[in-house]
């Protein structure tokens, strides 16, 4: 196969917006010298050290996340309200239209080609380790021709609660919980047992019970570590004894 045929095969086989990483291209039979030749001839374009796009493609966040997740094995994903919106559990949000909430595990280092580009999206990155098993609660989501992993509704709800009350509204969190009547209790149980943040687990259970979801009664709360002591989330709030939370009057 000549070089022109090889690049045509590559261009036709990959989704529009795919971020191409040199090591992956090499593993597919495209040597570094051949990659350089394709860049010089305009078939590929650099978007920073260590990453390229097909000529004519635009920067899209889904392309970056797909490459980071599948090639770099990087723990980064869309979560929280953004993931809920994308799956129809809040006002639907096209991935590149508004602010997107990204979660990155702890000290994971993001490459410069990612941080130096804007991806046609306003992003907010939270560096948190929420679960003992960070692989839990992820699902494949397709945007255009690209597929990436994002939080399932249950995990996304936990992520919203992790950010409460300083970076996410408690009232909005409860409104989102009200729309989650179709969650699977076994998956919720698994997530809450793995969750490291006491506040988020207590809020999740309290909001689910307050919303009167049928799946709530199938949870085994005794297996979920809810810690000790009170958690005050607002000043001059109302104390909820069962979950040892101090909450705004309108939510208590």
């Amino acid at each position: 196969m000549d070089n022109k045929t090889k690049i045509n095969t590559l261009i036709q086989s990959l989704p529009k917006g795919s971020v191409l990483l040199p090591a992956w291209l090499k593993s597919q039979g495209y040597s570094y010298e051949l990659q350089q030749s394709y860049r010089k001839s305009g078939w590929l374009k650099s978007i920073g050290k260590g990453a390229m796009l097909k000529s004519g493609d635009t920067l899209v966040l889904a392309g970056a996340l797909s490459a980071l997740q599948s090639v770099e094995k990087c723990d980064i994903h869309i979560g929280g309200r953004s993931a809920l919106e994308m799956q129809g559990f809040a006002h639907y949000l096209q991935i590149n239209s508004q602010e997107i909430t990204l979660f990155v595990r702890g000290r994971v280092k993001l490459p410069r080609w990612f941080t130096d580009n804007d991806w046609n999206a306003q992003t907010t990155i939270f560096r948190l380790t929420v679960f003992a098993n960070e692989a839990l609660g992820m699902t494949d989501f397709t945007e255009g021709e690209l597929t990436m992993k994002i939080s399932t509704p249950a995990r996304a709800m936990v992520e919203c609660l992790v950010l409460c009350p300083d970076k996410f509204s408690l009232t909005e969190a409860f409104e989102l919980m009200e729309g989650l009547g179709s969650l699977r209790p076994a998956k919720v149980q698994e997530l809450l047992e793995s969750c490291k943040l006491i506040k988020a687990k207590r809020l999740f259970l309290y909001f689910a019970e307050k919303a009167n979801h049928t799946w709530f009664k199938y949870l085994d709360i005794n297996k979920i570590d809810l810690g000790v002591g009170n958690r005050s989330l607002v000043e001059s709030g109302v104390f909820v004894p069962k979950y040892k939370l101090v909450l705004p009057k309108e939510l208590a």
Side-chain angles (χ1 to χ4, degrees), residues 20-224:
L20 309 176
L21 305 182
W24 179 83
L25 284 170
K26 188 174 186 299
S27 73
Q28 302 301 303
Y30 299 86
S31 69
Y32 295 127
E33 293 78 12
L34 193 53
Q35 294 174 41
Q36 185 177 23
S37 173
Y38 289 153
R39 288 197 301 272
K40 287 181 177 178
S41 60
W43 291 102
L44 300 176
K45 60 181 178 181
S46 173
I47 56 170
K49 185 177 180 180
M52 292 167 281
L53 288 178
K54 295 178 292 181
S55 182
D57 281 8
T58 56
L59 293 167
V60 290
L61 184 58
L65 294 178
S66 179
L68 285 171
Q69 293 170 352
S70 63
V71 181
E72 298 280 11
K73 308 302 180 185
C74 181
D75 287 319
I76 181 173
H77 66 277
I78 295 174
R81 180 182 171 86
S82 296
L84 287 168
E85 289 171 329
M86 291 165 66
Q87 294 169 92
F89 289 92
H91 179 65
Y92 185 71
L93 171 70
Q94 289 288 342
I95 183 171
N96 291 318
S97 65
Q98 297 181 34
E99 181 179 347
I100 305 295
T101 303
L102 298 174
F103 287 82
V104 180
R105 186 171 67 176
R107 299 177 181 177
V108 169
K109 186 175 181 180
L110 298 173
R112 288 285 299 273
W113 63 260
F114 178 77
T115 58
D116 287 352
N117 283 301
D118 63 14
W119 302 104
N120 196 30
Q122 181 183 347
T123 58
T124 300
I125 297 176
F126 293 102
R127 289 186 171 275
L128 299 167
T129 302
V130 179
F131 301 94
N133 179 359
E134 278 291 329
L136 290 177
M138 304 299 293
T139 187
D140 287 334
F141 183 85
T142 300
E143 180 78 12
E145 300 177 6
L146 295 154
T147 299
M148 61 189 157
K149 290 192 177 296
I150 69 172
S151 294
T152 60
R155 177 177 177 134
M157 188 70 247
V158 173
E159 290 167 340
C160 288
L161 296 172
V162 167
L163 301 177
C164 289
D166 296 335
K167 297 174 181 175
F168 200 85
S169 161
L170 285 163
T171 300
E172 185 177 4
F174 177 63
E175 291 171 352
L176 289 171
M177 176 63 85
E178 286 184 300
L180 299 180
S182 60
L183 297 187
R184 296 168 60 188
K187 296 297 184 182
V188 172
Q189 181 80 36
E190 188 177 34
L191 280 168
L192 294 182
E193 287 185 25
S194 183
C195 182
K196 293 183 171 186
L197 290 96
I198 300 299
K199 171 194 69 176
K201 290 185 282 189
R202 292 187 190 181
L203 279 171
F204 192 103
L205 292 169
Y206 173 64
F207 283 167
E209 187 173 16
K210 183 177 175 65
N212 200 30
H213 289 317
T214 54
W215 50 261
F216 176 81
K217 64 185 177 182
Y218 297 104
L219 300 178
D220 187 347
I221 298 178
N222 292 325
K223 291 184 177 180
I224 301 169

Side-chain angles (χ1 to χ4, degrees), residues 9-18 20 24-25 54 57 145:
T9 300
L10 179 70
I11 288 172
Q12 292 170 14
S13 65
L14 291 174
K16 190 174 182 180
S18 296
L20 309 176
W24 179 83
L25 284 170
K54 295 178 292 181
D57 281 8
E145 300 177 6

